[in-house]
């Protein structure tokens, strides 16, 4: 184990050593499985299922099941799992993360635990980063499972619900994280259970787990509908932002200076803090905004919407960059994934930022959307009974995996030792020098036939390097978000003799780069990085494209003091050192201290990003608890439970609450506010007059009054049920309750989002914003439950039977009055009502039970 000890830490070495006896058991069964006929090997699946039904566990079956899959893989696709791949399969079965170097065959590894866990019949989801990999793996690796008698499905973006339902019903289902997540949300919006597509979330194997659970964790999944706000304010805010002047802070802004209350001066209209990724107006900038919009005080609460639009306009114009953060395609803004470089069509920045970018680029500004359902990837994947992941780069983020997902990382030794040479970074003073040196290195490598893969961070950088190579007459391929369709094809050919490939960070994850004939003798695939990424994992992924399965290879990063990462975290200091040493232009520095400084900067950014994701999760956890309750109630309704008891329970709760409010704890009936009780109850229940006989004034209690009203309400409900018919009444109850839950839940999501945006101000009152958010959210959730209850009861009593409605329509058509027993010969005088001003937080006069601001107040 000396090689392992040198290559990996003691923890991983111990884990690998501990699993070795199980691996040996699997390998020992190789000859036995090889001797079986196809039919006998396939019959093992039925045998395993029977043994599970007889009381054995999947852990008991593991050695035999893995041996069966090894043999089936050899017979179907000509591959057999190496010992290190068996170790990876065991780690995945245990619900952990297997870190395996690039090229070690992680796709094949997943077939072991997916087969074993699929035997339980509860479904296994294999999660990949894009549709191409999902369909490729479902076809390629699915051949093994189909040979063994299991069904394999694949979820793709364009599929309809029937096709999705069939795919989820399979033993093993391949798909992307987005498809699985959105299907979960859509399932919790259906009106009939049979419209749902997913089964319960049992076991997920997540490929490229760091990309899905770390990189994409800051962006929640959102299903949205069209909102109602105007878009003109975005254009006005952008127009003003374009005229503002970028400034800076003059003076010491360190924490010590703040404690000593040293004065600092601001110049310009706004200041950008690149470390914190924030943009704030100066006092001068605030004055200009007030003058432009005609405001008395920019900080007043009623100006919060303008302040929000200005913040987005500044961020869109000065911190979001075309061909880096997004591209303009077919007159639409399409987001570029900052970690993979892939386009994300259909995705939109939330909170108005997308509209601000649309205003900046002069394309149509779409209305802000209304959130109908939302969930973060953290909370979605934590819903699985068991989850596991695999990637080539996870160890640097192990703390986050353990804290948020409860998964540890085990590094698995490669099948063959890594021969790739990782050269020290070359640091230059300017970007110009850096790019010239990198291109010269590419030219020299190309002249001797060595293939080169050039990694860039942005689309803009990839196109710059491409222009420089064209000037040098070097034929090459460009792989960035704009050419995503050719990704797999371009990457697969990157290892051929003389090939030069420029790629953004996407670099074809999941696609093998095989060396062409004679390339190994030339040194293998050469990796050239034109900039250090803020996450060490991304740099490691780029390096990992070379030196797969013991192939030769080399890598080097070219960086400059003008690169964002270096500049923000100490670039000035490095520049001064270079000037002091009088280093000639074009001469690189190859120094351990500089390399260490860059690594330290990366760690600081990673820690900061972890803090952002943890912060997001802390807030979303509050929403998640409420989501669980709401979705649980919806599921009960969809499962066809008889809701009569629940609805009558709603009525009881409403009556008890209104009686308590009207009696105010008094034992004397003379002090009770019966008028108030009448008005409040009749807004929900048509209970009629509420009177107490004079002879009972001294003896009646609030509890007796409550019981009378409950009895009366239940009689009314019985009458309504008889009118509608009992069977139809159950369906009516179900539909009305579902509609009420969905309507109020969507409003609640919006209100929670608005509340969260302003909760940070609580810090100025020396209060913890997260604690205040929790307390306020709890009050809002109680209001939500109250509104659902009242709305459901109110609407049930408003329904009419179809027969009575038909009679009423006939009578109206014939001119017959439906006011039987009343004198309608004289026109009634209109009743003059004194209009009372309604506050935004008061109940809406329409009787909906909503706050005025969320009902007719919107129209006003």
């Amino acid at each position: 184990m000396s090689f392992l000890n040198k290559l990996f830490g003691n923890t991983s070495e111990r884990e690998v050593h501990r699993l070795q006896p199980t691996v040996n058991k699997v390998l020992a069964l190789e000859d036995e499985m090889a001797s079986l006929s196809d039919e006998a090997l396939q019959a093992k699946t039925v045998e395993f299922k029977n043994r599970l039904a007889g009381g054995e566990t999947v852990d008991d079956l593991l050695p035999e099941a893995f041996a069966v899959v090894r043999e089936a893989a050899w017979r179907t696709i000509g591959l057999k799992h190496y010992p290190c791949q068996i170790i990876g399969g065991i780690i995945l079965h245990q619900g952990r993360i297997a870190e395996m170097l690039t090229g070690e065959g992680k796709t094949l590894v997943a077939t072991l635990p997916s087969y074993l866990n699929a035997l339980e019949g509860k479904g296994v989801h294999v999660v990949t980063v894009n549709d191409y990999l999902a369909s490729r793996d479902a076809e390629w690796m699915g051949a093994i499972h189909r040979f063994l008698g299991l069904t394999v499905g694949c979820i793709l973006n364009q599929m309809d619900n029937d096709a999705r339902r069939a795919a989820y019903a399979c033993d093993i289902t391949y798909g992307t994280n987005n498809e699985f997540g959105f299907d979960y949300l859509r399932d919790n919006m259906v009106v009939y259970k049979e419209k749902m597509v997913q089964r319960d979330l049992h076991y997920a194997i997540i490929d490229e787990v760091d990309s899905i659970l770390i990189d994409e964790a800051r962006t929640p999944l959102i299903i949205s509908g069209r909102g109602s706000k105007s878009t003109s304010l975005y254009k006005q805010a952008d127009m003003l932002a374009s005229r503002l002047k970028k400034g800076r802070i003059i003076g010491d802004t360190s924490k010590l200076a703040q404690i000593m209350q040293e004065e600092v001066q601001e110049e310009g209209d706004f200041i950008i803090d690149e470390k914190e990724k924030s943009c704030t107006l100066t006092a001068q900038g605030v004055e200009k905004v007030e003058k432009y919009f005609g405001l008395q005080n920019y900080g007043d609460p009623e100006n919060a919407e303008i302040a929000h639009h200005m913040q987005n306009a500044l961020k869109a114009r000065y911190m979001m960059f075309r061909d880096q953060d997004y591209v303009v395609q077919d007159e639409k803004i399409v987001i570029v994934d900052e970690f993979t470089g892939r386009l994300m069509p259909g995705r939109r920045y939330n909170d108005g930022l997308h509209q601000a970018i649309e205003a900046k680029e002069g394309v149509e500004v779409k209305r802000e959307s209304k959130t109908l359902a939302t969930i973060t990837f953290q909370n979605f994947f934590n819903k699985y009974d068991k989850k596991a992941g695999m990637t080539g780069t996870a160890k640097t983020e192990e703390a986050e995996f353990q804290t948020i997902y409860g998964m540890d990382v085990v590094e698995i030794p490669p099948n063959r030792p890594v021969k790739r040479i990782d050269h020290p970074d070359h640091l230059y003073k300017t970007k110009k020098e850096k790019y010239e040196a990198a291109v010269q290195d590419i030219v020299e490598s190309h002249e001797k036939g060595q293939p080169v893969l050039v990694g860039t961070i942005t689309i803009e950088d990839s196109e710059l390097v491409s222009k420089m190579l064209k000037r040098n007459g070097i034929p090459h391929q460009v792989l960035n978000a704009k050419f995503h369709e050719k990704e797999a094809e371009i990457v697969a050919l990157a290892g051929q003799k003389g090939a030069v490939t420029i790629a953004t960070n996407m670099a074809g994850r999941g696609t093998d780069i095989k060396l062409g004939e004679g390339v190994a003798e030339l040194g293998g695939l050469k990796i050239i990085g034109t900039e250090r990424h803020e996450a060490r994992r991304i740099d490691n992924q780029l390096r990992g494209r070379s030196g797969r399965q013991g192939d030769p290879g080399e890598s080097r990063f070219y960086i400059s003091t003008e690169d964002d990462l270096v500049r923000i975290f100490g670039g000035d200091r490095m520049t001064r050192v270079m000037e002091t040493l009088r280093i000639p232009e074009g001469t690189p520095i190859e120094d351990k201290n500089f390399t260490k400084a860059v690594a330290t900067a990366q760690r600081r950014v990673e820690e900061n990003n972890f803090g952002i994701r943890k912060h997001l999760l802390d807030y979303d956890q509050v929403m998640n608890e409420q989501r669980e309750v709401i979705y649980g109630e919806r599921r009960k309704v969809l499962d066809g439970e008889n809701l009569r008891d629940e609805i009558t329970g709603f009525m009881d709760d409403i009556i008890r609450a209104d009686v308590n409010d009207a009696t105010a704890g008094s034992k004397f009936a003379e002090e009770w506010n019966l008028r108030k009780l009448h008005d409040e109850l009749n807004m929900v229940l048509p209970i009629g007059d509420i009177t107490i006989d004079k002879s009972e004034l001294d003896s009646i209690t609030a509890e007796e009054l409550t019981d009378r009203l409950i009895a009366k309400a239940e009689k009314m409900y019985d009458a309504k049920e008889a009118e509608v018919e009992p069977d139809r009444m159950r369906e009516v109850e179900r539909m009305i309750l579902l509609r009420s839950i969905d309507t109020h839940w969507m409003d609640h999501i919006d209100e929670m989002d608005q509340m969260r945006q302003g909760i940070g101000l609580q810090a100025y009152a020396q209060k913890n914003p997260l604690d205040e958010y929790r307390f306020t959210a709890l009050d809002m959730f109680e209001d939500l439950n109250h509104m659902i209850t009242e709305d459901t009861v109110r609407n049930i009593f408003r329904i009419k039977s179809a027969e009575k409605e038909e009679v009423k329509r006939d009578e109206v058509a014939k001119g017959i009055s439906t006011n039987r027993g009343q004198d309608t010969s004289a026109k009634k005088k209109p009743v003059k009502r004194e209009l009372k001003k309604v506050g935004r937080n008061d109940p809406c006069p329409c009787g909906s039970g909503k706050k005025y601001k969320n009902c007719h107040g919107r129209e006003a």
Side-chain angles (χ1 to χ4, degrees):
M1 299 294 284
S2 58
F3 167 67
L4 289 177
N5 195 40
K6 183 179 178 183
L7 192 63
F8 300 107
N10 288 329
T11 304
S12 291
E13 180 188 341
R14 284 196 302 271
E15 283 299 311
V16 170
H17 183 70
R18 191 173 63 80
L19 296 175
Q20 199 59 51
T22 307
V23 175
N24 292 339
K25 285 181 185 178
V26 177
L27 296 173
L29 292 167
E30 182 172 353
D31 291 341
E32 181 185 330
M33 297 303 166
S35 67
L36 297 175
S37 65
D38 284 356
E39 292 76 14
L41 189 65
Q42 290 162 345
K44 283 287 184 181
T45 299
V46 177
E47 178 195 323
F48 292 150
K49 288 182 178 181
N50 290 335
R51 285 165 62 181
L52 283 173
E56 288 190 59
T57 66
V58 284
D59 290 335
D60 297 330
L61 299 178
L62 188 148
E64 284 181 79
F66 277 25
V68 166
V69 175
R70 280 188 88 222
E71 182 60 29
W74 180 248
R75 296 187 190 187
T76 52
I77 61 174
L79 298 173
K80 186 170 281 191
H81 303 74
Y82 295 120
C84 63
Q85 292 174 313
I86 298 173
I87 295 170
I90 299 170
I91 295 297
L92 294 178
H93 168 66
Q94 293 174 340
R96 306 160 84 183
I97 293 172
E99 178 173 292
M100 304 180 72
L101 297 181
T102 306
E104 290 297 302
K106 292 185 287 293
T107 307
L108 184 62
V109 171
T111 58
L112 296 168
S114 56
Y115 172 78
L116 176 61
N117 286 270
L119 295 171
E120 294 181 291
K122 298 177 183 177
V124 173
H125 293 170
V126 182
V127 188
T128 64
V129 291
N130 60 48
D131 277 354
Y132 164 73
L133 292 177
S135 57
R136 182 201 72 178
D137 295 350
E139 188 61 33
W140 184 24
M141 295 297 146
I144 301 169
H145 299 303
R146 284 187 282 269
F147 174 80
L148 290 172
L150 297 182
T151 53
V152 179
C154 181
I155 304 293
L156 298 174
N157 184 261
Q158 69 275 13
M159 290 169 64
D160 62 23
N161 279 359
D162 291 335
R164 286 173 185 270
R165 196 174 299 107
Y168 281 118
C170 292
D171 296 308
I172 298 165
T173 308
Y174 287 82
T176 67
N177 48 313
N178 287 336
E179 294 303 323
F180 287 124
F182 280 124
D183 282 340
Y184 169 79
L185 290 177
R186 282 189 286 261
D187 272 0
N188 283 286
M189 296 172 69
V190 299
V191 178
Y192 295 98
K193 187 179 180 181
E194 46 278 17
K195 295 290 185 184
M196 295 176 72
V197 297
Q198 284 186 343
R199 293 192 279 170
D200 290 339
L201 304 176
H202 175 54
Y203 176 46
I205 299 172
I206 306 166
D207 192 12
E208 308 297 1
V209 67
D210 56 321
S211 174
I212 291 171
L213 295 190
I214 301 292
D215 298 340
E216 297 199 37
R218 277 188 286 180
T219 308
L221 292 171
I222 298 173
I223 292 179
S224 56
R226 182 168 170 162
S228 56
K229 290 184 180 177
S230 169
T231 59
S232 61
L233 194 52
Y234 288 105
K235 296 172 185 174
Q236 295 174 42
D238 177 69
M239 196 177 297
L240 175 58
S242 67
R243 300 175 190 172
L244 297 180
K245 181 182 176 184
K246 182 180 174 181
R248 62 191 178 98
I249 295 177
I250 303 168
D252 189 359
T253 58
S254 66
K255 288 185 178 178
L256 178 61
Q258 291 173 26
I259 293 168
M260 300 301 292
Q261 296 185 336
E262 293 182 14
E263 284 191 24
V264 294
Q265 286 184 311
E266 298 174 333
E267 67 174 28
D269 299 321
F270 64 91
I271 293 163
I272 293 175
D273 185 335
E274 291 183 284
K275 287 184 183 178
E276 296 298 325
K277 297 181 179 177
S278 65
C279 189
T280 52
L281 288 167
T282 62
Q284 179 180 304
V286 168
E287 283 182 22
K288 288 187 178 180
V289 174
E290 287 175 340
K291 185 177 179 182
Y292 184 83
F293 286 104
L295 310 177
Q296 290 291 322
N297 183 355
Y298 179 74
D300 280 349
E302 60 260 33
N303 297 327
E305 188 176 6
I306 289 175
H308 179 63
H309 278 70
M310 279 308 304
Q311 195 71 35
N312 274 334
L314 289 170
K315 187 173 182 182
R317 191 158 276 279
Y318 301 106
M319 298 185 71
M320 305 298 292
F321 302 104
R322 184 169 177 167
D323 287 343
Q324 179 175 326
D325 300 298
Y326 63 90
V327 297
V328 179
Q329 197 176 76
D330 300 326
E331 294 295 303
K332 292 178 182 175
I333 303 298
V334 182
I335 298 173
V336 176
D337 188 304
E338 64 176 305
F339 291 99
T340 66
R342 289 189 173 92
L343 290 182
M344 298 195 290
R347 287 277 196 97
R348 292 177 66 82
Y349 293 114
N350 59 1
D351 207 20
L353 179 59
H354 208 94
Q355 285 82 358
I357 296 172
E358 287 170 334
K360 165 193 169 184
E361 293 294 346
V363 300
E364 181 192 355
V365 180
K366 303 267 177 69
R367 288 182 182 273
E368 266 193 66
S369 54
K370 178 182 174 68
T371 301
L372 307 181
T374 178
I375 195 170
T376 58
F377 280 123
Q378 291 106 317
N379 278 317
F380 172 66
F381 282 107
N382 279 337
K383 291 184 184 304
Y384 281 86
D385 298 332
K386 182 169 76 171
K387 59 189 174 297
M390 50 188 182
T391 180
T393 48
K395 200 66 180 176
T396 57
E397 311 289 351
E398 184 170 22
E400 183 165 353
F401 282 121
Q402 287 180 327
T403 303
I404 293 176
Y405 302 102
M407 303 160 78
D408 64 330
V409 178
V410 179
E411 296 168 287
I412 296 169
N415 187 47
R416 294 174 185 162
V418 178
K419 293 180 183 176
R420 186 186 66 244
I421 301 167
D422 295 326
H423 298 291
D425 296 352
H426 273 183
L427 176 69
Y428 293 84
K429 187 177 176 182
T430 65
K431 282 188 176 183
K432 178 176 176 288
E433 296 171 57
K434 173 188 78 171
Y435 282 119
E436 286 174 349
V439 168
Q440 184 58 37
D441 193 354
I442 296 166
V443 170
E444 290 171 5
S445 299
H446 179 69
E447 284 175 353
K448 67 176 184 178
Q450 184 179 17
V452 181
L453 177 63
V454 187
T456 64
I457 285 185
T458 68
I459 297 169
E460 190 178 25
D461 290 344
S462 68
E463 291 177 347
L464 171 64
V465 174
S466 177
K467 286 177 185 174
M468 294 177 76
L469 288 176
K470 282 177 184 173
R471 283 202 293 268
N472 282 274
I474 304 296
H476 59 278
Q477 290 275 11
V478 179
L479 176 63
N480 59 32
K482 292 183 174 178
F483 301 99
H484 175 44
E485 295 78 10
K486 301 178 184 176
E487 175 187 344
E489 179 189 338
I490 293 174
V491 170
L493 297 173
Q496 300 304 305
K497 193 170 183 178
V500 176
T501 310
I502 303 170
T504 45
N505 293 324
M506 62 203 296
R509 289 186 78 167
T511 305
D512 272 332
I513 300 179
K514 291 176 179 164
L515 299 184
E517 191 176 339
V519 169
E521 291 73 23
L522 297 170
L525 178 64
K526 186 169 193 172
I527 302 293
I528 291 180
T530 59
E531 194 170 337
R532 282 285 195 172
H533 195 275
E534 60 181 35
R536 288 170 291 170
R537 287 179 300 103
I538 309 299
D539 292 340
N540 293 339
Q541 285 161 16
L542 179 60
R543 274 197 167 123
R545 310 308 297 168
S546 173
R548 300 157 79 100
Q549 285 288 338
D551 286 340
E554 58 181 311
S555 71
R556 188 188 297 278
F557 279 86
Y558 288 82
I559 57 178
S560 80
T561 59
E562 293 178 347
D563 292 347
D564 289 344
L565 181 72
V566 180
R567 178 176 54 79
I568 295 168
F569 292 94
D572 291 343
R573 189 170 64 253
M574 291 186 183
T575 304
R576 284 196 297 271
V577 170
M578 295 181 86
E579 288 173 349
T580 302
L581 296 174
R582 296 184 179 178
I583 294 171
E585 184 177 332
T587 304
I589 289 181
E590 191 178 296
D591 182 82
K592 287 183 180 178
N593 290 325
F594 282 115
T595 304
K596 195 181 291 183
V598 172
T600 301
Q602 287 178 310
R603 273 195 297 274
R604 286 167 65 185
V605 175
E606 286 166 359
E607 287 165 5
N608 184 53
N609 287 341
F610 175 35
I612 292 170
R613 290 188 290 267
K614 183 72 170 62
H615 184 70
L616 172 72
L617 185 63
D618 287 340
Y619 279 90
D620 190 63
Q621 194 56 41
V622 178
M623 194 70 177
N624 190 54
E625 290 165 5
Q626 298 183 0
R627 188 190 298 112
E628 289 288 302
V629 174
I630 292 294
Y631 285 0
E633 286 300 310
R634 274 192 112 264
R635 191 60 186 264
K636 283 183 194 173
V637 178
L638 290 178
D639 284 340
E641 291 186 15
N642 189 324
L643 298 174
R644 181 191 161 90
D645 290 344
E646 189 155 359
I647 303 296
T648 54
F650 287 171
M651 295 192 308
D652 293 359
D653 292 341
I654 292 166
I655 290 169
R656 288 185 193 284
D658 286 349
V659 169
N660 286 340
D661 193 29
T663 57
S666 173
K667 295 180 180 179
F668 305 108
E670 294 94 336
E671 296 176 359
W672 297 348
N673 190 342
L674 295 183
R675 184 66 203 169
K676 179 182 180 183
L677 177 60
H678 169 274
D679 291 347
E680 288 187 354
L681 261 185
N682 276 280
M683 282 180 69
V684 183
L685 279 160
I687 204 103
D689 292 337
I690 300 171
T691 57
I692 299 174
D693 195 88
K694 287 182 180 180
S695 62
E696 297 179 307
L697 286 175
D698 295 331
S699 59
I700 193 169
T701 64
E703 190 61 37
E704 288 172 345
L705 176 60
T706 302
D707 290 342
R708 284 185 195 178
L709 292 173
I710 288 174
K712 185 175 181 181
E714 288 181 354
K715 281 184 182 177
M716 291 165 55
Y717 201 80
D718 290 340
K720 179 60 68 176
E721 188 174 62
E723 176 189 335
V724 177
E725 295 175 3
D727 289 343
R728 273 198 70 220
M729 190 66 170
R730 300 292 81 84
E731 177 67 7
V732 166
E733 290 166 345
R734 200 178 68 79
M735 294 298 291
I736 288 177
L737 180 53
L738 275 179
R739 188 175 65 181
S740 182
I741 289 173
D742 291 346
T743 302
H744 291 296
W745 174 244
M746 290 169 196
D747 289 341
H748 180 72
I749 291 172
D750 270 357
E751 289 171 11
M752 287 279 284
D753 192 45
Q754 290 169 24
M755 185 264 288
R756 180 176 163 182
Q757 286 175 25
I759 204 72
L761 297 173
Q762 294 289 339
Y764 291 109
Q766 304 302 310
K767 294 178 181 177
N768 183 330
L770 182 58
D771 288 341
E772 294 303 309
Y773 179 76
R774 287 190 180 117
F775 295 141
T776 309
L778 183 59
D779 290 341
M780 291 173 66
F781 193 62
E782 287 176 0
D783 289 345
L784 168 69
N785 282 321
H786 185 66
M787 286 190 288
I788 290 172
T789 299
E790 287 197 345
D791 200 36
T792 302
V793 173
R794 181 187 300 111
N795 286 324
I796 281 177
F797 278 103
R798 283 179 177 171
I799 60 169
K800 299 278 190 288
S801 70
E803 291 82 0
K804 286 200 173 184
E805 284 295 298
E806 192 62 40
V807 169
K808 186 173 180 179
R809 279 196 292 272
D810 288 345
E811 289 177 337
V812 170
K814 294 172 185 176
I816 302 172
S817 169
T818 56
N819 297 316
R820 300 186 190 279
Q822 295 181 23
D823 180 10
T824 58
S825 56
K827 287 185 179 179
K828 291 187 178 180
K829 294 180 181 178
V831 179
K832 289 185 180 179
R833 290 187 174 88
E834 188 178 330
L835 292 177
K836 179 185 174 186
K837 188 174 180 182
V838 182
R840 285 179 58 73
N841 289 311
D842 291 341
C844 188
C846 74
S848 65
K850 297 182 183 179
K851 291 178 181 176
Y852 179 62
K853 67 179 181 182
N854 297 323
C855 194
H856 286 79
R858 283 180 173 166
E859 298 165 14

